[in-house]
């Protein structure tokens, strides 16, 4: 998905982990994914650059669909769909 498509997604769950350093955002994502249903979309907000690498790798390893990342001013928005 491109940035415009990602920005227009309807997100079911947002995890704001901007105040934590890695592995905090990844741990928050792992915890939050259990609270949404299969097919729903989760967004992780993080200011830690390692998150944009770690969360997609974890999502794909667990069978979730990584949709993409948008870089905002000072943080990243990482999108995934729970399988």
């Amino acid at each position: 998905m491109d940035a415009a498509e990602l920005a227009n997604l309807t997100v079911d769950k947002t995890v704001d982990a901007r105040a934590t350093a890695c592995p905090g955002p990844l741990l928050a994502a792992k915890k939050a994914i259990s609270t949404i249903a299969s097919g729903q979309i989760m967004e992780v907000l993080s200011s830690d650059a390692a998150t944009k690498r770690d969360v997609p790798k974890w999502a794909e390893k667990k069978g979730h669909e990584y949709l993409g990342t948008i870089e905002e001013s000072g943080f990243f928005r990482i999108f995934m769909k729970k399988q």
Side-chain angles (χ1 to χ4, degrees):
M1 297 183 121
D2 65 29
E5 291 172 316
L6 290 171
N8 289 320
L9 279 176
T10 299
V11 174
D12 298 293
K13 176 85 174 181
T14 298
V15 177
D16 189 348
R18 287 179 282 185
T20 63
C22 209
L26 179 59
L27 296 174
K30 286 179 176 179
K31 183 176 179 182
I33 198 92
S34 66
T35 66
I36 63 173
S38 181
Q40 289 188 313
I41 295 174
M42 183 171 79
E43 170 187 30
V44 179
L45 308 179
S46 176
S47 55
D48 187 316
T51 304
K52 68 179 183 178
R53 177 195 68 228
D54 294 345
V55 169
K57 286 174 88 174
W58 164 78
E60 291 178 2
K61 181 178 176 183
K62 292 298 184 180
H64 306 301
E65 183 180 356
Y66 167 66
L67 301 175
T69 300
I70 298 175
E71 291 192 33
E72 299 283 355
S73 180
F75 69 99
F76 306 97
R77 298 172 63 194
I78 303 162
F79 298 86
M80 68 190 74
K81 181 187 286 186
K82 183 175 182 178
Q83 297 301 313

